[in-house]
Amino acid sequence: MLSTPRTHVWMLCLVTLPPMASVYLLKNSHYDLSTPNLLVHLVILALWLFSMNNIVYEHYFGPLSDVPMAGGDWFVLGHTPYIFGNIQGLPYLKLVNNMKLDHRGVFRVKGIFHLGGQLVLTAPETINEALNSHCYDYVKPPKPIAFLSRIIGNGLIASEMAEHKAQRKAVWPAFQGHMIRELVPDMWRKSFEFADVIASETDRETAMLEFNGIVSRATLDIIGVSAFGKDFQTLYNSDNRLASVYKKAFDPTPDIIRYFATSMVLPSFMGPWIPMSGNRKITVDSMVMKEQCAQLIAENRAALKESGDGRPDILSLLLKTDLSDEEILDQMLTFLGAGHETTSSASTFAVYLLATHPDIQHRVRKEVRETLSKYRPEELTMQVLDSMPYLAAVASEALRVWPTVPVTSRVAVKQTTIAGLNIPPGTHVSIAPITIHRLESLWGKDALVFNPDRWLDPSNTVPGGSTHPLAYIPFLTGPRACIGQVFAKAEMRCLLATYVERFQFEMFDPNEELSVAGVITIKPRELKLRITDLGSSLKA
Ligand code: HEM
């Protein structure tokens, strides 16, 4: 049932004020029912019927009216300050902690004017239903996806239903563990280059380094080599066109944010036609990306014809499937978009956590230096990565505390169920890994503590020691889970290993509060560190 007095007042206003306004106008002696006045009454009537159906009926009598409504709503804004909070998904933690939810762990929040509410799922079992067993009863919210697909193409992230299943089947072989294993030596190589660039870009006088920007160039280079077999060399050239296009897309300027907001209120098909500077920028940028990717596909196809098999990169594998060049182009745009900012943000959060937990930093460095001292750089493989359990624990724990995709949404496209509840088509469902990863009910009293050891406890029945395997979902789960997760975990560990092996670091300003930015993926706005170069421990 509705839980806050404010909501009842709002509903009372909606039910009574429009008819009262009509009656008042009618009673007014100077008021006659001429055409304009009749129109006023009709508009009032239409608004009244709309709010009775979409607000009053939905909240009190609709199929989901039994689901608990979160408290803390605002008079006009409903729960929008929570939905669009500074760190998306995290404000739900406060809402959950202030409610008594039953075993289904489902609650409702509502949008502006108390319209367009959504369900928030917090229990692993219900998340399993929405993302696994009933995955294709939902689609991603069409408007944000239409916007995103202009940048990342119509590949796996933007496709739905049968098209998504077919794409996933075609692309999946390129992401299996044994294929990623082949890419790891290149990840190591680029990670060492990344450490060299850090050494050269650190301010000599202050020993200050801004980590975020450099790691983002490193991950773009890694996805370039691994996905396209092409070194974009953005590590050495921060003005690189591709790097700046992606920076704009994932670190949006105010005009792009304005364009995004406008396209969210207009019908999707109008998006490309809105006369705004943000739109023009995206049109030009997406053309640049498409041209560059098309050129790489053409080059790789020619090379494949000439030399036959050979290269293990993702594009070479896709060129051997039945996908057309146009379909491959969409996938490649998607991999560049999905596979570069995500891993760089995850690595930045991990480094932030290590900078603020010197003991853990010291321990992981010890493990990495002891391990790497047995190898020459060209001998480094996936096996070497797998021989460093504490490093893996640090990466997993960083993704628990700061999952780079903090929240995801789905819209039901058919009648479905969640935990026995009837979910009508059109229902919006929200799942926030950032909140689920911090729930004491799933992770225990130290849920908010950065503690890599929780991943190493042999007595755990579930990795990480939570109560359920789906209490940990940085890559989500089910048919739409991140296809690049093995890739991402390997890449993140290579970058972290080379960084902690070579540098000791702390926050440049220990009093600085972490400021988090981003819309679909989040990252520290910037990460200024004071670093000391310890030199390499690798075998010469
Ligand atoms: C730490 C790094 C990463 C994180 C945290 C991450 C997280 C995620 C999440 C949460 C989703 C699901 C989004 C949703 O449905 O709302 C996703 C999807 C996806 N990710 Fe990742 N990702 C990472 C790295 C990568 C990499 C390196 C690649 C590719 C090389 C990649 C490719 C994809 C693709 C293609 C999808 C769409 C899958 C589908 O719908 O079938 N991701 N990722």
Side-chain angles (χ1 to χ4, degrees):
M1 286 302 289
L2 288 170
S3 53
T4 62
R6 238 174 283 157
T7 309
H8 297 302
V9 174
W10 176 253
M11 297 295 162
L12 199 67
C13 295
L14 283 177
V15 175
T16 53
L17 286 184
M20 274 164 62
S22 253
V23 171
Y24 173 78
L25 290 175
L26 279 173
K27 278 192 157 176
N28 189 322
S29 52
H30 304 298
Y31 203 81
D32 63 90
L33 273 185
S34 59
T35 314
N37 290 337
L38 198 62
L39 271 179
V40 171
H41 285 285
L42 284 177
V43 169
I44 291 177
L45 181 68
L47 279 176
W48 187 70
L49 289 174
F50 176 82
S51 39
M52 286 302 284
N53 181 47
N54 290 281
I55 305 180
V56 179
Y57 170 78
E58 283 296 326
H59 285 308
Y60 286 107
F61 310 103
L64 298 173
S65 54
D66 278 345
V67 178
M69 176 70 77
D73 52 326
W74 293 50
F75 191 64
V76 174
L77 296 177
H79 289 106
T80 42
Y82 295 93
I83 299 170
F84 300 107
N86 186 20
I87 303 175
Q88 282 194 42
L90 193 53
Y92 291 154
L93 185 63
K94 194 171 159 200
L95 296 182
V96 185
N97 286 340
N98 286 335
M99 298 174 82
K100 262 204 164 11
L101 293 176
D102 62 18
H103 66 283
R104 301 177 299 188
V106 184
F107 67 93
R108 285 186 298 155
V109 288
K110 52 201 165 166
I112 191 157
F113 299 126
H114 300 234
L115 278 163
Q118 49 183 281
L119 288 186
V120 183
L121 312 187
T122 64
E125 293 80 4
T126 52
I127 290 169
N128 189 33
E129 279 188 64
L131 296 181
N132 263 313
S133 43
H134 297 167
C135 170
Y136 289 107
D137 291 352
Y138 301 88
V139 293
K140 295 182 182 171
K143 281 187 185 173
I145 288 296
F147 178 87
L148 199 61
S149 67
R150 295 192 57 204
I151 302 159
I152 61 163
N154 290 311
L156 268 180
I157 288 191
S159 62
E160 293 293 352
M161 304 291 166
E163 196 195 333
H164 173 262
K165 279 187 202 169
Q167 287 191 14
R168 183 116 183 166
K169 197 169 160 208
V171 168
W172 171 238
F175 283 91
Q176 284 179 11
H178 64 279
M179 302 310 299
I180 303 302
R181 197 167 277 269
E182 302 278 311
L183 302 174
V184 171
D186 273 334
M187 292 182 189
W188 275 116
R189 184 173 57 76
K190 288 302 308 181
S191 300
F192 281 107
E193 287 181 24
F194 156 68
D196 287 341
V197 170
I198 285 188
S200 69
E201 290 196 11
T202 303
D203 188 290
R204 298 223 179 280
E205 274 176 22
T206 58
M208 199 274 276
L209 169 88
E210 201 291 295
F211 184 83
N212 206 355
I214 302 186
V215 74
S216 156
R217 277 147 58 197
T219 54
L220 189 53
D221 280 356
I222 291 177
I223 196 84
V225 173
S226 317
F228 290 100
K230 167 94 178 175
D231 192 344
F232 298 139
Q233 301 258 333
T234 47
L235 261 175
Y236 303 103
N237 173 15
S238 52
D239 295 335
N240 178 293
R241 187 82 195 262
L242 204 59
S244 72
V245 165
Y246 272 101
K247 189 170 162 33
K248 261 189 268 169
F250 288 94
D251 208 353
T253 48
D255 55 346
I256 291 184
I257 293 175
R258 274 196 299 276
Y259 166 58
F260 174 77
T262 312
S263 60
M264 288 308 103
V265 286
L266 294 174
S268 299
F269 74 90
M270 288 180 70
W273 310 106
I274 302 173
M276 292 179 83
S277 64
N279 183 17
R280 285 189 288 277
K281 271 189 195 162
I282 287 190
T283 307
V284 173
D285 287 351
S286 74
M287 265 167 54
V288 172
M289 289 191 286
K290 278 187 185 153
E291 270 167 27
Q292 297 220 355
C293 285
Q295 197 184 334
L296 288 170
I297 292 172
E299 279 171 22
N300 276 36
R301 203 176 268 296
L304 194 68
K305 251 191 199 155
E306 229 169 69
S307 61
D309 248 3
R311 293 227 308 252
D313 59 78
I314 294 169
L315 175 55
S316 301
L317 294 169
L318 292 189
L319 287 171
K320 290 179 212 149
T321 65
D322 294 335
L323 294 173
S324 68
D325 279 8
E326 209 178 313
E327 288 166 328
I328 294 178
L329 178 84
D330 276 320
Q331 299 304 344
M332 299 316 288
L333 286 171
T334 298
F335 300 150
L336 273 178
H340 133 241
E341 264 311 299
T342 42
T343 325
S344 84
S345 307
S347 307
T348 309
F349 276 122
V351 165
Y352 163 76
L353 289 163
L354 290 176
T356 48
H357 294 81
D359 294 354
I360 298 175
Q361 184 190 142
H362 176 75
R363 190 167 149 199
V364 69
R365 178 173 303 109
K366 191 164 175 289
E367 180 188 73
V368 171
R369 283 182 81 94
E370 274 172 19
T371 308
L372 295 195
S373 64
K374 299 178 205 144
Y375 300 94
R376 276 187 279 272
E378 63 279 10
E379 291 167 350
L380 295 172
T381 57
M382 184 77 151
Q383 244 173 338
V384 179
L385 265 189
D386 287 343
S387 68
M388 293 183 278
Y390 195 63
L391 175 71
V394 166
S396 299
E397 182 67 350
L399 277 169
R400 183 186 74 83
V401 179
W402 288 110
T404 32
V405 180
V407 65
T408 192
S409 303
R410 298 288 188 266
V411 185
V413 279
K414 52 163 95 153
Q415 184 73 37
T416 182
T417 55
I418 290 177
L421 289 166
N422 283 322
I423 308 292
T427 306
H428 283 245
V429 172
S430 218
I431 296 165
I434 196 162
T435 279
I436 290 149
H437 291 180
R438 294 171 182 220
L439 286 175
E440 282 190 10
S441 54
L442 299 173
W443 290 93
K445 284 268 172 264
D446 69 343
L448 298 181
V449 179
F450 175 61
N451 173 20
D453 273 320
R454 72 174 83 240
W455 296 93
L456 300 173
D457 186 343
S459 66
N460 286 338
T461 46
V462 170
S466 71
T467 56
H468 194 286
L470 293 185
Y472 184 68
I473 46 168
F475 300 102
L476 296 189
T477 177
R480 303 220 60 157
C482 177
I483 203 166
Q485 55 185 292
V486 178
F487 182 113
K489 283 191 232 168
E491 182 185 11
M492 196 177 160
R493 282 182 288 159
C494 286
L495 287 165
L496 281 181
T498 49
Y499 184 67
V500 297
E501 185 257 343
R502 173 115 178 232
F503 304 102
Q504 188 176 311
F505 49 98
E506 60 192 342
M507 294 299 285
F508 189 72
D509 174 1
N511 298 320
E512 192 180 315
E513 294 258 316
L514 178 70
S515 162
V516 174
V519 183
I520 299 166
T521 59
I522 48 167
K523 62 179 173 183
R525 212 173 285 276
E526 57 176 12
L527 184 60
K528 284 188 187 152
L529 302 169
R530 188 188 309 279
I531 67 174
T532 311
D533 192 340
L534 303 171
S536 173
S537 61
L538 263 86
K539 223 158 80 175

